[in-house]
Amino acid sequence: MSTITDVAKKAGVSIATVSRYVNGKADGNMNEETKRKIDEAIRELNYEPNSIARSLKSKETKTIGLVVPDIVNPFFPLMVRGVEDFLRENGYSVFLCNTDQNSQEELAYLKLLQARKVDGIILVGVDLPSDVVLEYIADTPFVCLERHENTAEFDVIYSDNYQGAYDATKYLIDLGAKEIVHIAGRENSKVANLRKQAFIQCLADHEITSDPSILNGSFRLEDGYRLTMELIEQRKNIPDAIFYANDFMAFGGIRALVEKEVRIPQDISVIGYDDVIVASLITPALTTVRQPVYEMGKNAAELLLKRIQGTVEPGKQHVLLKPELVIRNSTSMKVVQ
Amino acid sequence: MSTITDVAKKAGVSIATVSRYVNGKADGNMNEETKRKIDEAIRELNYEPNSIARSLKSKETKTIGLVVPDIVNPFFPLMVRGVEDFLRENGYSVFLCNTDQNSQEELAYLKLLQARKVDGIILVGVDLPSDVVLEYIADTPFVCLERHENTAEFDVIYSDNYQGAYDATKYLIDLGAKEIVHIAGRENSKVANLRKQAFIQCLADHEITSDPSILNGSFRLEDGYRLTMELIEQRKNIPDAIFYANDFMAFGGIRALVEKEVRIPQDISVIGYDDVIVASLITPALTTVRQPVYEMGKNAAELLLKRIQGTVEPGKQHVLLKPELVIRNSTSMKVVQ
DNA sequence: CTGTTAGCGCATTCAG
DNA sequence: CTGAATGCGCTAACAG
């Protein structure tokens, strides 16, 4: 790889002139002949500025770190894509960091990214205590995605879980469902609670019941399977619909329902949450609430760039995005035999 | 962020000494007192070596570029994880690059990665002509993943598609299937052809037929759906089994089958290829051939590091990994009514 | 055992 | 309009 010195030599000018030319700092005021010679030398040598050297001088690397629990979890790829697309368009490259939500790893990556002098960091689903994050991350700009905590210390991008769950429940009611069961997420999860509260409130608002049936799972497929099995086995009549706190549990529930030969959606309507890519691939295609993950990623990247450039009002930003009900084939009016 | 000079000043030694200490180049032969002072200074200043400066000097950045078609496609995340895990353990960070298999983007990324001075590049599913790649990539070490072409110019990691498809077909035969249909992939795809040939050969080897029924799709869910629909509608008896060239088409096929009220696996066995994460999530869970994607990613990373370190025999390496049949619930002996 | 110095490739003063 | 010189933070001779 050739350097700026090679170019300067070949063009018969100084490196300063080459530098100016390359960075467009010469505008109109540069001898046309000089320009031509430099241009030619660059082409012949296939010169490309060394961004490492550039970074050392400029104090910016045009790279950012993206810390994510696990890219293998179908919830994240689209979000990552949202981040990458936006950043790429703006000249930034992204370091992908999988942590399995292990605090040790998260912290280790925070250090590493800073040693690499990234210009900013996006933290997805990092639940480290605020003070720890702030201490470790020192003065690198960062924004959080999917951190559900009301902290005035962080920029946070998240989506309206209450609204989404309310919409889902409302939709089931509109379909004529009288008895709806909610299979909730992990008990101490902020997100799970928001969805559960919305479910309860919606039922109350529509005078369905003030004592809804709710079972607690922990967001995993197995929970959806097990709880649904128990539900079917313990009663003689099955409910009109089940609202699962996330798609994974809905997948488990569908498995149980199929094994018990309960037809979806004829006998029972099923609705999930997240609109993980799998939801559209299964049969019946799952009605669910789409989290605008691509936009969330994109928004996070956008906000981060503003932070880096310092073009955002002081005070941390909390961006709330709207989820959207995606109606597919796992829900319908109940067919009365 | 403090620099080596700050540390040297605070510890009352020269920067060279600090450098030696930090890089362990001092072994036993360094005054304990000096060590102590440096260590203290480092801790107090929360010093972390600037890897940019380090790279400028050492000519290595400890970063690699991972060029992938689309992280959103369920086929890739696990592979990416394999790459990232191995590289991370070895002190490297990875730049994630999505190209949508668009040549323009691929080339642009190749340039960008080199400007960033990555130590190596992993190219997943890049179909650019060999000479173009070689020209663009100049002298950065790289390895290809999922490039199905016998080129002696590249290091390539791939999996045995022929064997996998043969195993799948054989399994169906062992299950007692007499009539098996293959829904193949894109006609000019190397991978699709390997799978198709194996299917044909296996049927011939076991004297099932020398004129098997094969339908051509292009790896998409819609093809699986459409072709399966046509298949069911055009004949009065349904085949014993269908072997889809990939999981996505199997998902489409299952949808068609369910709509036509053909029971899986009682009436028909269905088998896919890839073992995309979705395969285990759907009902019935899909029997399929697992491509060892995690290992493929890991192997690619491993080989790349060896290339970077120059510790691999001359001559390009072609690593062939073994696929594995994963038996789940979409296949069974046919139930005779 | 430790300090001085040069140089990695580039951008940017400051002169001319 | 262009060139010489400086320094970003670090490592590696080379001295001492």
Side-chain angles (χ1 to χ4, degrees), chain B residues 131-176:
Chain B
D131 52 340
V132 174
V133 173
L134 287 171
E135 186 198 327
Y136 261 76
I137 222 166
D139 40 26
T140 305
F142 72 98
V143 344
C144 294
L145 247 168
E146 279 283 297
R147 182 183 175 100
H148 296 274
E149 189 189 318
N150 285 317
T151 123
E153 312 167 276
F154 292 180
D155 284 317
V156 180
I157 309 282
Y158 60 118
S159 82
D160 196 335
N161 287 278
Y162 189 91
Q163 180 73 54
Y166 197 96
D167 291 350
T169 311
K170 177 66 165 49
Y171 176 65
L172 257 13
I173 293 173
D174 289 348
L175 243 29

Side-chain angles (χ1 to χ4, degrees), chain A residues 18-49:
Chain A
V18 177
S19 177
R20 283 191 205 98
Y21 176 76
V22 169
N23 296 301
K25 296 282 171 72
D27 282 7
N29 42 354
M30 183 180 250
N31 194 315
E32 285 301 328
E33 174 62 8
T34 315
K35 281 187 188 174
R36 206 193 46 68
K37 284 191 300 186
I38 295 177
D39 202 65
E40 192 182 309
I42 287 179
R43 223 192 332 279
E44 277 180 27
L45 292 168
N46 201 2
Y47 169 75
E48 195 72 35

Side-chain angles (χ1 to χ4, degrees), chain A residues 294-308:
Chain A
Y294 186 87
E295 286 70 28
M296 289 169 77
K298 185 179 161 173
N299 269 273
E302 203 166 353
L303 179 52
L304 182 61
L305 284 206
K306 286 194 191 144
R307 274 280 169 240
I308 291 172

Side-chain angles (χ1 to χ4, degrees), chain A residues 272-284:
Chain A
Y273 203 109
D274 283 347
D275 196 27
V276 148
I277 192 168
V278 191
S280 62
L281 264 23
I282 66 171
T283 302

Side-chain angles (χ1 to χ4, degrees), chain A residues 62 84 88 93 109 116, chain B residues 51 84 88 93 109 116 280:
Chain A
K62 294 283 185 182
E84 212 256 321
R88 162 107 176 88
S93 295
Y109 260 123
R116 290 210 180 286
Chain B
S51 66
E84 211 256 322
R88 162 107 176 88
S93 295
Y109 261 124
R116 290 208 180 286
S280 63

Side-chain angles (χ1 to χ4, degrees), chain A residues 2-268:
Chain A
S2 50
T3 76
I4 198 171
T5 313
D6 303 328
V7 176
K9 213 165 286 175
K10 170 154 256 169
V13 298
S14 77
I15 62 166
T17 306
V18 177
S19 177
R20 283 191 205 98
Y21 176 76
V22 169
N23 296 301
K25 296 282 171 72
D27 282 7
N29 42 354
M30 183 180 250
N31 194 315
E32 285 301 328
E33 174 62 8
T34 315
K35 281 187 188 174
R36 206 193 46 68
K37 284 191 300 186
I38 295 177
D39 202 65
E40 192 182 309
I42 287 179
R43 223 192 332 279
E44 277 180 27
L45 292 168
N46 201 2
Y47 169 75
E48 195 72 35
N50 179 331
S51 67
I52 297 296
R54 206 173 242 186
S55 294
L56 185 58
K57 179 113 264 256
S58 68
K59 304 296 183 194
E60 58 174 24
T61 55
K62 294 283 185 182
T63 62
I64 75 107
L66 176 55
V67 178
V68 88
D70 180 12
I71 191 70
V72 176
N73 180 328
F75 185 74
F76 300 110
L78 195 54
M79 186 180 276
V80 168
R81 193 66 213 258
V83 170
E84 212 256 321
D85 284 356
F86 185 83
L87 254 16
R88 162 107 176 88
E89 283 166 22
N90 289 274
Y92 285 76
S93 295
V94 0
F95 282 121
L96 179 66
C97 313
N98 292 104
T99 61
D100 291 318
Q101 267 185 325
N102 171 114
S103 317
Q104 295 288 309
E105 288 293 314
E106 292 176 337
L107 258 19
Y109 260 123
L110 253 31
K111 282 202 98 157
L112 177 60
L113 290 171
Q114 287 176 83
R116 290 210 180 286
K117 301 291 170 193
V118 295
D119 294 339
I121 298 178
I122 292 177
L123 260 21
V124 182
V126 170
D127 283 330
L128 254 25
S130 305
D131 52 340
V132 174
V133 173
L134 288 171
E135 185 196 328
Y136 261 76
I137 222 166
D139 39 24
T140 306
F142 71 98
V143 344
C144 293
L145 248 167
E146 280 283 298
R147 183 183 174 100
H148 296 273
E149 189 189 317
N150 285 318
T151 123
E153 311 166 276
F154 292 180
D155 284 318
V156 180
I157 310 282
Y158 60 118
S159 82
D160 196 335
N161 286 279
Y162 189 92
Q163 180 74 55
Y166 196 97
D167 290 350
T169 311
K170 177 67 166 49
Y171 177 64
L172 292 174
I173 294 173
D174 289 348
L175 243 28
K178 293 297 173 214
E179 193 186 355
I180 308 175
V181 173
H182 178 51
I183 297 204
R186 198 159 13 84
E187 294 222 49
N188 53 4
S189 148
K190 182 96 180 179
V191 170
N193 276 317
L194 249 15
R195 294 180 190 171
K196 188 195 293 183
Q197 291 313 321
F199 171 75
I200 294 170
Q201 188 59 247
C202 185
L203 254 34
D205 287 352
H206 295 80
E207 293 169 354
I208 302 287
T209 174
S210 58
D211 178 28
S213 42
I214 296 176
L215 305 174
N216 290 306
S218 1
F219 287 130
R220 297 170 316 163
L221 186 143
E222 297 74 43
D223 301 314
Y225 180 83
R226 182 176 48 78
L227 294 168
T228 306
M229 269 300 184
E230 291 174 12
L231 182 70
I232 302 296
E233 285 167 353
Q234 284 165 13
R235 11 160 117 205
K236 42 185 187 296
N237 66 321
I238 59 169
D240 300 319
I242 304 181
F243 167 32
Y244 292 88
N246 75 344
D247 288 348
F248 281 90
M249 290 200 296
F251 300 148
I254 288 173
R255 181 165 299 171
L257 260 10
V258 169
E259 285 180 18
K260 286 294 181 185
E261 294 184 338
V262 178
R263 296 168 308 161
I264 309 168
Q266 296 90 332
D267 300 332
I268 193 171

